[in-house]
Every structure is written in C-alpha cells, then in structure tokens.
Amino acid sequence: MFMFKKILIANRGEIACRVAATAHRMAIKTVAVYSDADADAKHVTACDEAMHIGGSAPKDSYLRWERIIAAAQATGADAIHPGYGFLSENEEFAQACADAGLVFIGPPASAIKAMGLKAESKRLMEKAGVPLVPGYHGSDQNPALLQREADRIGYPVLIKASAGGGGKGMRAVESSEEFAAALASCQREAINSFGDDAVLIEKYAQRPRHIEIQIFGDAHGNYVHLFERDCSVQRRHQKVLEEAPAPGMTEAMRQEMGEAAVAAARAVHYVGAGTVEFIVEQRAGGMTFYFMEMNTRLQVEHPVTEAITGLDLVEWQLRVAAGQPLPLKQVQLHRRGHAIEARICAESPDNQFLPATGTLQVYRQPVCTRFERADGPTHVRIDDGVREGDAISPYYDSMVAKLIVHGDTREQALARMDQALSEFHIVGLQTNVQFLRHVVQSQSFATADLDTALIPREANVLFNQEKIGLPVAVGAAVALTLEEEKSRETADPFSRTDGWCLHGLTQRRFEFEIHGELQAAHLWREHDGTMKLSLGASPLPLRYESTHKGLQLELDGQRCLLQVYRRGEVVHVFGAKGATQITEIDLLAHAGVAQHEGGRLTAPMPGKVVSFQVKAGDTVSRGQPLAVMEAMKMEHTIAAPADGVVAEILYAPGDQVLEGAELLTMAA
Ligand code: ADP
Ligand code: ADP
Ligand code: MG
C-alpha cells in the first residue's frame, strides 16, 4: 500500500513534535519549518530536516503558505501535515497544496470551506438532519432583525462570530436591553479578529456541557466515530481539562451522537480526522445534544481518545491521506478505561489567566509510565514542544505541555492526574499547574458534576490557594541554604563567611520577604542536638535530609518530601500538597529599596496595543479600563491603578510593546 516517504510539518510546538514522533515510528522522513524565534526549538530537532521560513510573528512565517509550499518542494516532501491552528483550517492553503502536487494531510478544501463558517455549516447540518441549538443563522444581518430573533429565541442568548474560533468573538446576553450593545461589540471583535462581522445567535444552553465526537472518514466513503470527549471544563470559552469517556454518557446517547457526527461528516464528504462539537443541555429530564460546530483538523485533546482506544490518530491521518482505507470498522472499535488531559499553560490563573512569558529555568516532568502490558495504555503521557531552558515567547499561544493520564476508572485517572501534576515542576514563569490540581481536587470535578461554569462555581477553592504553609516553605528554604553551604564547604572548607557553627549554640538569622515585608527566622541547636526554627513565637523542631528523591523535611513532627529550587533570591518549593515560593533575602548582597513607580502605567506582558479607552486630560478612577492589549491571542484590559488624570498617551493602537513599557502617564 502506498505511503509517503517524506512529509513537511507546517506547525511548531507540541503538535509538530507529536506528528514527527508518529512519522518516525512509521519510517517516514520529516521536514520542520521554523521562524526566527524557533531557530533552536524542540520541533526543529525532532525532524530530519528543517527550513527557516521567516520572522517570529505567525503572519511572517507559519501563515506564509507560499514559503511553506516552496519548502516542501525544495526538500522533496510528498505531503504537508498542518497540525492544528495556523493553516490547518485554511481551504486556500489546502487547495494550493493540491495545485502544487502535494498531499494536504487533512480534509478536502471543499469540506473545510463547508464547515468554515459556523452559520453556513449550521444551515448544512439542518439539511442533514443533525439537531441544532435553537437559534438564528440566516444571512440577513440587519441589527433590528437580529434583535427580534434574539427576543424570539428567549434570553439568555449567545451571539457568535460566524467566522470565530478559539473562544473569541462570543457574547452572552442576559436580556433584550443588553442586546444591541453586545451585538456591536461582538461585531467589532469579529471584524478585527476574523475580518468578517457576520454573526449567528444561539439559545444559551442550560447547565451546558461541551461533548464532542472524534470522527474519521476515508477517500473510499467509509466513516467511523471514535467515541466522545468531554471538554466542559473551560475558561474564556477555551478548554482546560478534557476527558474520555464523558461521565454519565449512556450507550444509547453515545450511539445517537456518534451517528449524528458521522452524518455531519458524510454531508460534506469528509476525509481524515475531524471533530463534531456538541453543546449538551442538562435538565431534570436528562441530557439533550445539539450541533455546535465542526473542527476540520486534529484537535489538541486527541490524546484522550488515543488513550481509551489504543490507536494512533496521526497514523490514521497519514494512512487516510495516502489513500488507504480506514484501518478499522465501527464494530472493531472499543473503549478501555478512562483518560484525562490537562493543558499546562504559561499563565496566571489568579490574575484572570493573564498569559505569562519567560524562560523555563526548571522544567521537570513526572515520569511517563506504562505498567500493565507492553501494549497496554500508557498511564502518564506528556506531549510538549519545549525543553528546560527554552523561552515561552509572546508570539505563539501559551500552551507549554499537555499531560494525559489513563486509568481503569475515572477515580484512578483522577488520582494519577493529581499525582502527575504534583510532580510537574516549572520555575521561571507563571503556570496553571497548581490551579489544575485545585480543579482536579474540587468537589465538582471529583464527582463529575460538569458544566462549562465549573470554574466560576468552584472559584473559592481554585484561586489564591497556597497548600504549602509558610513554616514549611521557610524550613525548606533554610534547609536548602544549609545544604548549599555544606556542598560549598566540602569543596572549600575555608570559604565559609557566615559564622555559623553547626555544633555550637550560635543562633543563625535568615531574612525572608513575606507579603512585602521583611521577616526574620532564627535557627539554633539545642543542647540535646535538636535543631529549632523560630518564625516569631514558638520555635519548631526542624530536621531534614537530602535524599535522591528530594528533601525530606520534618517540621514540628510533620514529615514531607519536597523538591526545592533556588533561582536568584526566590526559593521554589514543590510537594505533594502543592507548591509555593518564598523570597530569601541575601543579607550581604542586598542593598537599597526598590523605587516606587508612582503615576506610571506599564504593560503587564509583551504584546500589541489594541486600543485606548481614554485620552490625555481625561479624569479616571481606580479600576477604570484604560487600554486593551493583545498577547498570545487573547485580549487583556488594563485598568487604572489609582484615581487620577491621564497626562499623556505614549503609544498608538497597533504598536508592539515590551513587558514593562510605559503605556501612558497619569497625574494624581
Ligand atoms: P481544540 O479545539 O483543538 O481542542 P482549542 O479549541 O482550544 O483546541 O483551540 C485551538 C484551536 O483554535 C487551534 O486551531 C487554534 O489555532 C485556534 N485558535 C485559538 N485562538 C484563536 C484565535 N484567536 N483566532 C482563531 N483561531 C484560534
Ligand atoms: P469556538 O469556535 O471558539 O470553539 P464554539 O462554538 O465551539 O466556538 O463554542 C465555544 C464554547 O462556548 C463551547 O465549548 C461552550 O462552552 C460555549 N458555548 C457555545 N455555544 C453555546 C451555547 N449555545 N450555549 C452555551 N454555551 C455555549
Ligand atoms: Mg469550538
């Protein structure tokens, strides 16, 4: 049977590495493409060859399809795998590949086009008999008509950009009075982000769950579905955790949804991997599903399907694109156990999920395991496109890695996820790892009480949670300092400068910055040899031992195993209960106090200025939105830090700014 000799992967990050891994296993050669920012990226080394295609911004590299096609031709590739995002759902690119004699590893351009716009795809699905959310998806966009339609559908409704994606271009509207303003703002975002302001309106489902069906078609007219994934845990309409199977799914509903998804695929003569997304309404009487959209590509969360089916979906994509029939028929497909995926992102959950950039100074992963049988499912899988030392730049999205676990039951998968997250240590930038642990531990997630409002509902246990207490953090930092000194001492016994005498009664002082204030901790040894740590009132007995597994710390009779990393003055502490960090002031090195930055308003991350809501001379109050910035594909509103008057605006919309750049000045 025909198979490609060489493919070009028109993507970056984890998905480029993921595709390369399967190609390698199938002995297919791979060509990477890369931007300036990705010259040393992991995906480049994961491939057999690589071609530079331009500047760091996607529009200068990963979206420049004429360069990508030229790279494929220059390297003699037979086919192009687009991954997800970038050009994966661009019908012109799919067509251009075909015109250049290259196989596009994805559906035909006509199917991408048919499913590209949400409104048109809903019109098509209506004809194919697939159930739709009550709503309006007509081409007449007269605002008065849209308002009447929303009133008819009944509130709450959701306005969606027809060309939208990635959770952008959506507005929930609670009442008729709010509709006109929400419509205008949705259309503005739609034209800016997607160049098309057409919208559709949907009834906002009650207690909605996002359940999607993985489908596959081949060029011979065969179709199968590979069961469902539940992606209800979301923030900003974007997925955070995904699992398969969907809790509470009955065999009858699974079959019905599978058949509806296959009908959707058949209606557009679909070939390859695709996902039909449904919104599922939960009422007292049970669950009702409605078609939402079809994604004509491999999804981020495809590994949970791989985990429960034991299949390699990228291998299926390659075989189908090479003209082979689907490897299995519907009756040959089986599910096994339960899988959960967590998206590990560079972001700050406690600060409205603001994306973060920085260097992965520490990047330690849980061990990937495969216990049961040699061909059994992997218990812990990590798909990533980074290594320790790599930078997370503002040019691309904020996903650092995907962590996928499998268990015989949901409970087992859940426990494995929690354990694996506790072993995932990232230092150097903010991530959502601890937040994900809190979600996994939350009552709603643990009991599978799922809907898209899970995160706001559980907010009080998800945000601003420190599970490692201050005394343990201080104890760990002190132990680390002593261990570091000990290893230096072994190297050079004359280099000690601290006056600390291990067997004497001298008290040793450490300084920490806690909640912005300096606080001292004292350490001494009692006559009986026990070490005591005091952080104010009562001294606590401290013991520790550095082992190959990490730091065994015993404070006040409580033992725990910790991993401790020092980066500059910050000590990062990871344990089974969570993670925390503490700033230890190096008394010798420290001089002066930071300058107060009064009256300045600076960019919290590198990105693009979208708009200013104020002009020079405006009086503003604390918390008032002043500017909108865009970074890592998301918009962020920047609010006034205090009451004042805007003195000067220092940038214009469209300007690219660095982190810390002063955007405007304010007078008190
Ligand atoms: P998936 O549906 O594969 O699980 P997501 O829905 O989270 O993944 O989003 C990933 C997909 O959405 C990718 O194709 C990504 O490029 C696309 N996407 C994300 N943000 C945007 C955006 N602002 N505009 C257009 N597409 C986006
Ligand atoms: P995108 O193209 O951005 O992925 P979708 O149409 O798939 O847009 O919707 C994204 C998310 O928005 C869904 O996963 C769901 O959480 C929410 N959503 C979409 N439609 C509805 C609806 N009718 N009712 C309630 N929530 C919805
Ligand atoms: Mg979607």
Side-chain angles (χ1 to χ4, degrees):
M1 268 187 288
F2 173 74
M3 184 39 74
F4 309 117
K5 299 264 177 311
K6 191 189 267 191
I7 61 170
L8 180 140
I9 304 171
N11 215 298
R12 64 178 303 281
E14 67 89 15
I15 194 62
C17 297
R18 162 74 194 86
V19 172
T22 290
H24 185 74
R25 189 173 59 68
M26 294 172 71
I28 298 168
K29 293 274 176 276
T30 49
V31 182
V33 290
Y34 64 94
S35 66
D36 289 346
D38 280 339
D40 299 314
K42 184 173 172 182
H43 80 271
V44 173
T45 46
C47 292
D48 299 301
E49 289 170 71
M51 294 274 278
H52 176 251
I53 49 166
S56 300
K59 68 168 177 30
D60 299 326
S61 48
Y62 299 107
L63 293 174
R64 296 198 66 163
W65 48 265
E66 70 298 343
R67 290 200 184 174
I68 291 172
I69 287 176
Q73 288 172 327
T75 53
D78 312 313
I80 297 186
H81 194 302
Y84 54 70
F86 296 133
L87 296 167
S88 62
E89 293 180 278
N90 185 319
E91 79 240 26
E92 287 174 50
F93 177 64
Q95 191 56 54
C97 289
D99 296 345
L102 295 159
V103 176
F104 174 78
I105 302 169
S110 57
I112 300 179
K113 184 166 196 294
M115 290 296 185
L117 294 174
K118 292 187 204 289
E120 277 173 36
S121 70
K122 287 183 78 173
R123 277 175 246 152
L124 257 172
M125 291 302 106
E126 200 163 26
K127 276 196 221 136
V130 178
L132 300 186
V133 199
Y136 171 79
H137 44 263
S139 49
D140 188 343
Q141 296 282 305
N142 178 335
L145 171 88
L146 294 174
Q147 170 93 52
R148 275 200 306 282
E149 286 293 332
D151 293 347
R152 174 186 62 79
I153 296 161
Y155 297 88
V157 299
L158 196 59
I159 311 176
K160 284 186 186 176
S162 185
K168 262 189 148 183
M170 274 192 274
R171 294 290 182 283
V173 188
E174 296 295 329
S175 69
S176 186
E177 295 70 51
E178 294 168 23
F179 184 82
L183 173 66
S185 113
C186 185
Q187 287 172 326
R188 246 193 337 265
E189 185 171 313
I191 197 93
N192 284 335
S193 303
F194 312 110
D196 176 353
D197 66 0
V199 300
L200 63 151
I201 305 170
E202 288 182 358
K203 171 103 190 124
Y204 200 96
Q206 279 182 33
R207 296 196 53 227
R209 272 170 76 175
H210 174 125
I211 301 181
E212 58 186 33
I213 303 279
Q214 175 72 54
I215 63 98
F216 247 98
D218 66 19
H220 312 281
N222 302 307
Y223 293 94
V224 295
H225 70 82
L226 285 82
F227 316 110
E228 78 281 5
R229 294 184 288 256
D230 191 314
C231 313
S232 300
V233 182
Q234 302 183 348
R235 54 127 176 74
R236 303 180 190 241
H237 301 296
Q238 292 175 344
K239 299 159 186 168
V240 174
L241 284 164
E242 300 103 343
E243 60 184 300
M249 173 70 92
T250 62
E251 211 43 66
M253 183 168 166
R254 175 173 293 126
Q255 197 176 333
E256 237 185 289
M257 287 182 78
E259 281 166 10
V262 165
R266 207 184 285 279
V268 295
H269 306 289
Y270 201 82
V271 178
T275 296
V276 183
E277 296 189 333
F278 295 95
I279 195 84
V280 173
E281 192 158 43
Q282 306 183 93
R283 293 170 183 275
M287 303 203 279
T288 319
F289 68 89
Y290 304 104
F291 172 85
M292 201 159 40
E293 66 164 345
M294 179 166 185
N295 292 327
T296 53
R297 55 176 159 89
L298 192 68
Q299 303 253 127
V300 172
E301 60 274 24
H302 75 276
V304 295
T305 300
E306 296 185 324
I308 62 156
T309 58
L311 301 170
D312 179 337
L313 299 196
V314 174
E315 177 186 339
W316 277 43
Q317 284 191 298
L318 293 169
R319 290 169 68 158
V320 164
Q324 298 181 16
L326 290 176
L328 296 173
K329 297 192 170 24
Q330 192 67 53
V331 292
Q332 296 172 298
L333 290 162
H334 303 287
R335 291 174 292 118
R336 180 177 164 190
H338 199 96
I340 309 177
E341 174 181 279
R343 298 189 187 196
I344 295 178
C345 296
E347 64 184 20
S348 170
D350 293 345
N351 191 6
Q352 280 133 48
F353 300 99
L354 192 73
T357 54
T359 300
L360 295 164
Q361 296 172 350
V362 172
Y363 182 69
R364 305 283 154 83
Q365 306 172 330
V367 176
C368 297
T369 51
R370 189 197 296 267
F371 289 145
E372 294 151 24
R373 306 188 317 253
D375 63 340
T378 309
H379 284 174
V380 178
R381 162 175 167 183
I382 293 161
D383 281 18
D384 65 11
V386 292
R387 298 152 303 198
E388 196 164 85
D390 284 354
I392 302 296
S393 75
Y395 300 109
Y396 313 111
D397 80 34
S398 59
M399 196 167 76
V400 177
K402 306 189 301 203
L403 173 62
I404 306 101
V405 297
H406 184 267
D408 292 338
T409 60
R410 187 172 191 270
E411 289 64 37
Q412 196 180 56
L414 210 69
R416 279 204 174 115
M417 176 58 85
D418 188 46
Q419 178 173 313
L421 285 168
S422 80
E423 293 167 6
F424 217 121
H425 302 161
I426 298 176
V427 170
L429 43 81
Q430 304 247 33
T431 72
N432 63 344
V433 172
Q434 297 305 318
F435 170 80
L436 289 168
R437 287 196 74 191
H438 301 152
V439 176
V440 169
Q441 292 166 357
S442 72
Q443 175 79 9
S444 295
F445 194 76
T447 59
D449 179 13
L450 303 175
D451 65 79
T452 59
L454 186 144
I455 288 177
R457 182 169 69 240
E458 291 279 3
N460 55 357
V461 295
L462 301 184
F463 300 103
N464 299 303
Q465 298 287 310
E466 284 291 20
K467 295 280 168 88
I468 290 189
L470 183 63
V472 171
V474 168
V478 164
L480 177 65
T481 303
L482 298 180
E483 282 298 299
E484 287 167 350
E485 287 174 358
K486 199 165 90 190
S487 62
R488 245 176 315 183
E489 190 188 5
T490 344
D492 175 12
F494 302 105
S495 70
R496 298 195 56 160
T497 53
D498 53 55
W500 161 250
C501 169
L502 197 65
H503 302 290
L505 296 172
T506 326
Q507 224 186 50
R508 170 86 184 260
R509 182 185 160 94
F510 297 82
E511 292 253 353
F512 295 96
E513 190 190 298
I514 294 162
H515 302 308
E517 296 196 358
L518 284 188
Q519 205 172 312
H522 297 274
L523 184 74
W524 66 92
R525 210 179 266 282
E526 303 271 295
H527 289 289
D528 65 2
T530 54
M531 246 193 298
K532 288 279 175 69
L533 179 69
S534 123
L535 265 175
S538 52
L540 304 173
L542 171 74
R543 290 198 329 168
Y544 68 84
E545 189 188 350
S546 179
T547 72
H548 69 281
K549 283 168 122 182
L551 178 74
Q552 290 280 0
L553 188 85
E554 187 181 316
L555 190 64
D556 201 16
Q558 293 242 45
R559 274 182 85 94
C560 52
L561 176 67
L562 303 169
Q563 256 73 36
V564 192
Y565 310 91
R566 184 193 304 281
R567 288 297 176 276
E569 292 195 319
V570 183
V571 176
H572 300 261
V573 185
F574 295 87
K577 282 189 181 167
T580 192
Q581 44 181 277
I582 185 163
T583 305
E584 185 181 354
I585 307 293
D586 181 343
L587 293 168
L588 292 177
H590 225 256
V593 183
Q595 291 282 313
H596 186 68
E597 296 193 320
R600 285 159 49 88
L601 191 93
T602 55
M605 71 273 169
K608 194 173 84 180
V609 177
V610 174
S611 61
F612 283 98
Q613 272 60 32
V614 291
K615 53 185 186 324
D618 284 0
T619 305
V620 299
S621 46
R622 188 192 148 97
Q624 182 178 334
L626 300 181
V628 175
M629 279 188 62
E630 188 186 278
M632 300 171 115
K633 298 192 302 200
M634 291 208 246
E635 285 191 1
H636 309 278
T637 301
I638 294 163
D643 296 351
V645 176
V646 177
E648 197 185 347
I649 305 248
L650 301 170
Y651 286 93
D655 285 351
Q656 206 69 35
V657 298
L658 295 173
E659 180 176 345
E662 190 164 12
L663 298 175
L664 54 80
T665 53
M666 280 176 53

